[in-house]
Amino acid sequence: MPQTSSGPVLQLLASGLQRWIRNQCDSVEELNLALQGSAIELLRGRLKGVSLEARRVSFEQLPLLRAELQSGELKTIFRPGQPNQPLQLKDPFSIEGEVVLSGTDLNKALATDRWRWLADLLAEQLMGLTPLRSMAIDNDRLVLTADVITGKDPVQRSFSLCADRGTIRVNHCDAEAKLLLPMDPSIKIIDARLQGGQMVIKGNATVHP
């Protein structure tokens, strides 16, 4: 996504926003911004919005292949005399967009201390077993594998995904079991699906700077 900003003021703002976004993430491989607005609006303390496209992002130890986001209006304080932090965001703002996760990366994340609780929740609530050995995405199916205490072969079950009540619902493909995933109240999921070994999630959120 090309950056559409022009002029030294908006260039400085874009640099400050990129720095702020990178500071919110564990790591970002590629990040592009496009600003909607003018230098005059910025000096008056507002910007119409920001479009963002990022690739290979780690946010709260959750690896994202791709993120495409659009913000609502931003209320800002512009401080050109402070080059290390030329921009301060004043109030909460809205974002909406899409993120994509690979099944391989998601499986690795569920094995970390940060997300082990979610792996255990999936295995216990959907399969009646813990711990979860692995998770994979097979086309449009989520495949969970859990160990059996008796030492028999591990149990494997398939599930589908959908958006429901602002979060993600995991549905057992061969039984009545289903699970609504815990979700931050500031986030609302409007679409969730599996395709080609990836999880695609669309939603909106309120960001508190």
Side-chain angles (χ1 to χ4, degrees), residues 77-118:
I77 298 175
F78 183 51
R79 304 180 296 183
Q82 300 186 33
N84 291 330
Q85 193 177 5
L87 172 76
Q88 181 179 342
L89 299 174
K90 290 176 59 178
D91 298 329
F93 59 93
S94 64
I95 60 171
E96 61 180 14
E98 177 181 283
V99 297
V100 179
L101 306 88
S102 79
T104 301
D105 288 343
L106 193 53
N107 182 53
K108 292 178 181 177
L110 291 177
T112 64
D113 292 340
R114 173 68 177 82
W115 295 102
R116 170 55 67 181
W117 68 269
L118 179 56

Side-chain angles (χ1 to χ4, degrees), residues 138 141-144 156-160 171-175:
D138 182 11
R141 289 289 182 266
L142 185 72
V143 180
L144 302 181
Q156 190 173 87
R157 297 288 184 267
S158 295
F159 304 85
S160 63
N171 307 295
H172 200 303
C173 291
D174 302 307

Side-chain angles (χ1 to χ4, degrees), residues 13 18 22 35 60 66 100 106 123-124 137-138 174 181 184-185 196 198:
L13 170 60
Q18 288 212 28
R22 287 182 181 277
L35 308 184
E60 294 190 355
R66 176 174 55 83
V100 179
L106 193 53
E124 182 177 357
I137 299 176
D138 182 11
D174 302 307
L181 298 184
D184 186 309
Q198 298 178 344

Side-chain angles (χ1 to χ4, degrees), residues 8 25 32 36 39-40 59 72 85 87 95 119 122 129 133 136 149 158 168 170-171 181 184-185 199 201-202:
C25 302
N32 295 292
Q36 291 90 52
I40 292 177
F59 180 72
Q85 193 177 5
L87 172 76
I95 60 171
L122 290 168
L129 298 168
R133 172 185 280 198
I149 298 177
S158 295
I168 298 172
V170 185
N171 307 295
L181 298 184
D184 186 309
M199 181 183 296
I201 301 171
K202 294 183 179 180

Side-chain angles (χ1 to χ4, degrees), residues 4 15 23 51 56 63 97-98 103 120 160 209:
T4 58
S15 176
N23 287 340
S51 297
R56 290 291 178 185
E98 177 181 283
D120 291 341
S160 63

